[in-house]
Amino acid sequence: MDGGMPDAHCGIKERGILKNLFNEKEVQEFVAKYPTIPPELALRIYTSRLIGQDPDLVLHGGGNTSVKIRIKNIVGEEQEVLYVKGSGIDLATIEPLGFVGLELEPLRKLQNLKSLSDEEMENQLLIHKVSFSSPSPSVEALLHAFLPARYIDHAHADFILVLANQKGGEGCLKEALGPKIAIIPYLTPGLPLAQGVRERYEQNPGIEGVVVIHHGIFTFGEDARTSYERMICYVGRAEEYVKAKTEKKVFGSLRKDWIPPEDLASSLARLNQTVRGVCAFRSPGGQLRRFYVEVRNKEELVKASILQEARILCHSGVLTPDHVIRTKNLWAHIERIPAEDAELNQVVKEEVNAYTKVYDQNFFEQAKVKSFAREKLDPCPRIFLVAGVGIVALGFTRKEARVAADIAEHTLHVKLLANALGKYDPIVKSHIFDMEYWSLQQKKLARTSLSPLQGQVAVITGGGGAIGLGIADRLLAAGAVVVISDINEESLRKVYSVLAERYEGGLIENIIFDVTDYRAVEKAFQEISRRLGGIDILVPTAGVAHVAKVEDLDPEKLEQVIAVNLKGTFHVIKASIPIFRRQGTGGNIVVVSSKNVFDPGAAFGAYSASKAAAHQISKIAALELAELGVRVNLVNPDAIFGDEEVPSKLWELVGPERMKSRGLDPQGLREYYRQRNLLKVQVTAEHVGNAVVFFASEGTPTTGATLPVDGGIPAAFPR
Ligand SMILES: [Zn+2]
């Protein structure tokens, strides 16, 4: 094999398109960082990450790399081991354990087989692992085994795909990449692709890589640097070729009938809520599956969404088979966002129904031809191209929605370039079906059992306080994505950082708004819908206290307490109703009320009266919202102190007064309240959170109910 420096003949460095990031100094540091693994593997990890970090080369677990190393086994015999990327593992952050060691010799023997079932291929890969605990190998492991090169790099690079998904693409690829890259037609991943690539290599062992039409590029070399630099070189050449040919081209013409919506922010929020609602479905197990939404609105995407051929772009299929499990093959297209909710609902429903009909039809056709007996997956679109908005992507988890959105962004970009160059010509339906329903592909998505609130968005007002923290923590643990909100930026940031230490970043959002200002509430809910799709669980927790006897109570002070505790609760409930209505998937409002509603205390009139009024309006909401499937329940906590990190603001305010009147220190005060309840427990914010999760999980058909979380105070028993 030619081990020469490919960048010398490619000239990529001088032209400076795609960056060659290989750095000798970094390599030495890298090898030193992993002293317990063979240096060949450390180098493999280093260049794998370089490839993984460039989204124009691979996206989210796409692509794969390998190295072959001679290693002594436990009885001292030397054997050749193929270290190949584990299935679904992200190259950008790969660690030694992300590679699977496989005995090379027995796998190589498979190359002369006529056929190999999916089950048997998987079995062969698993029985030849050198470490029991390593992950499942990449679905392209056989290709890595059959090719003799020591290092192999594989990517679904955008600019290669512009050419590989082009009518007459082979000619363009030859012209762009030169004679040292073999071009082969699409072959099914697994044994056929591995054999096809091997065959081409045997015909011409001087090649430096292979491009597989409709799929991607493989480069190889005897050392990590050569294989990596060949990747950069050839993708760089494709980029240069495409850019030169499309430089002065216009990317299609815009729709003449296009009128942008008057209020884009509100239109987008309404659209997301509607899309979420229309796409939600009941799984065979009976659980309502909701989606999270991710919006992408870069200028190029917005423009593409109002092209005359926008619908053709949506229906023209994925760039590479790997993407089908993330985005499905086709996209839905929304041509306008009507100002009326009923009309919007109809527009989205019609589009989704048409989409699912085509999906189902295709499934049954393909399943019949292929005598395929497995169950059909859900037929919901994952990507919407929305006129004037851009891309709206859906996922069962927030991560899935983001992955789908990233892939869709690149897909649209590649399709536009391909059409500017000639005509985008993707992989055929039959192959797409094989990939979508390939058991090994589906395993990439296989996940453990569903958490009770997965797919739901919970919004907590007063999220900067101790109770807000406890509720957020419990809702996150139950699988919801949680938005904490507060008017106080500092305390909100504090709670956010506490939660971010416990849970993945993407699961928590924060937003500042004032519950006493109805317009601000509406705007904040719009923003939440833009970020996540809508709201399923609303937990009004924001509250303020004021200590004064009626005789001394300043009327203005009373107004202020009412503004937060009563009006604030009313505002957020009211603003959530149109969202619940558009989603049409029910929901839960769990109002954090107070033990004082049933058992008020002297000098606490402003607080108790405003909480009692909020309590009443919540019950009225329960009466009115049942028809939407929205349940409104209340939690009555008592004596929540919080901890040192996030103390209860209410207790910071009323505590000293209470301590004085009872002649106690802070510890004594906590103990006093513990002894006051029947169960003799200290009530915590997490207890309140558990009550919220109980209602939100809908284990009982309950609405309009009050659940005390107070350790048992007879005078505060609900009645
Ligand atoms: Zn691939």
Side-chain angles (χ1 to χ4, degrees), residues 425-648:
D425 176 38
I427 189 169
V428 296
K429 277 196 285 191
S430 155
H431 288 315
I432 289 294
F433 178 86
D434 294 343
M435 283 308 283
E436 188 175 5
Y437 283 90
W438 193 18
S439 55
L440 299 179
Q441 279 293 91
Q442 282 301 326
K443 276 194 182 146
K444 289 185 186 170
L445 299 178
R447 57 185 83 78
T448 46
S449 62
L450 285 176
S451 341
L453 302 180
Q454 192 183 311
Q456 302 203 43
V457 177
V459 176
I460 305 166
T461 69
I467 293 186
L469 169 60
I471 295 170
D473 179 83
R474 295 295 80 206
L475 285 169
L476 282 160
V481 168
V482 171
V483 185
I484 50 170
S485 73
D486 208 292
I487 193 172
N488 185 322
E489 193 181 338
E490 197 189 328
S491 55
L492 188 63
R493 214 182 296 138
K494 176 80 216 168
V495 168
Y496 183 86
S497 70
V498 171
L499 290 169
E501 270 176 35
R502 299 179 194 167
Y503 300 91
E504 250 179 74
L507 302 177
I508 317 152
E509 284 283 329
N510 64 85
I511 184 164
I512 294 167
F513 66 89
D514 180 359
V515 293
T516 67
D517 175 354
Y518 183 65
R519 272 301 298 151
V521 173
E522 278 190 318
K523 271 198 119 72
F525 283 12
Q526 257 176 27
E527 172 60 18
I528 291 166
S529 301
R530 184 192 69 77
R531 288 190 214 168
L532 293 157
I535 298 173
D536 307 290
I537 302 163
L538 174 69
V539 192
T541 307
V544 291
H546 178 64
V547 183
K549 289 181 174 170
V550 174
E551 189 179 2
D552 306 325
L553 179 57
D554 178 348
E556 251 176 56
K557 266 282 165 208
L558 177 66
E559 286 283 352
Q560 285 168 15
V561 175
I562 286 174
V564 178
N565 295 2
L566 168 60
K567 287 187 184 165
T569 304
F570 160 71
H571 288 158
V572 293
I573 293 176
K574 179 178 163 66
S576 70
I577 297 171
I579 301 175
F580 287 126
R581 206 177 274 288
R582 286 183 204 112
Q583 292 175 162
T585 47
N588 280 277
I589 299 176
V590 187
V591 178
V592 175
S593 189
S594 169
K595 158 251 170 205
N596 281 47
V597 169
F598 296 118
D599 180 22
F604 223 38
Y607 181 80
S608 298
S610 57
K611 278 286 187 182
H615 201 94
Q616 189 73 331
I617 209 152
S618 305
K619 286 185 181 177
I620 305 288
L623 297 173
E624 294 172 359
L625 300 185
E627 62 168 28
L628 295 178
V630 175
R631 303 157 182 226
V632 186
N633 291 291
L634 300 110
V635 179
N636 278 11
D638 183 41
I640 312 283
F641 293 89
D643 55 22
E644 268 167 35
E645 204 169 17
V646 182
S648 156

Side-chain angles (χ1 to χ4, degrees), residues 200-270:
R200 282 307 284 271
Y201 176 79
E202 278 170 355
Q203 286 164 9
N204 181 5
I207 56 173
E208 297 179 346
V210 173
V211 169
V212 181
I213 297 291
H214 305 314
H215 183 151
I217 181 168
F218 294 84
T219 57
F220 26 85
E222 285 310 297
D223 58 85
R225 180 170 188 169
T226 300
S227 185
Y228 166 75
E229 287 185 339
R230 284 176 175 165
M231 175 65 74
I232 297 305
C233 153
Y234 287 112
V235 176
R237 279 189 179 194
E239 178 173 359
E240 195 183 328
Y241 179 90
V242 171
K243 283 188 169 163
K245 298 250 174 190
T246 55
E247 209 179 10
K248 292 189 179 76
K249 295 263 173 91
V250 187
F251 288 63
S253 43
L254 300 185
R255 269 170 53 190
K256 290 197 179 65
D257 64 336
W258 169 247
I259 308 161
E262 259 174 43
D263 181 348
L264 188 63
S266 137
S267 295
L268 175 57
R270 289 168 51 245

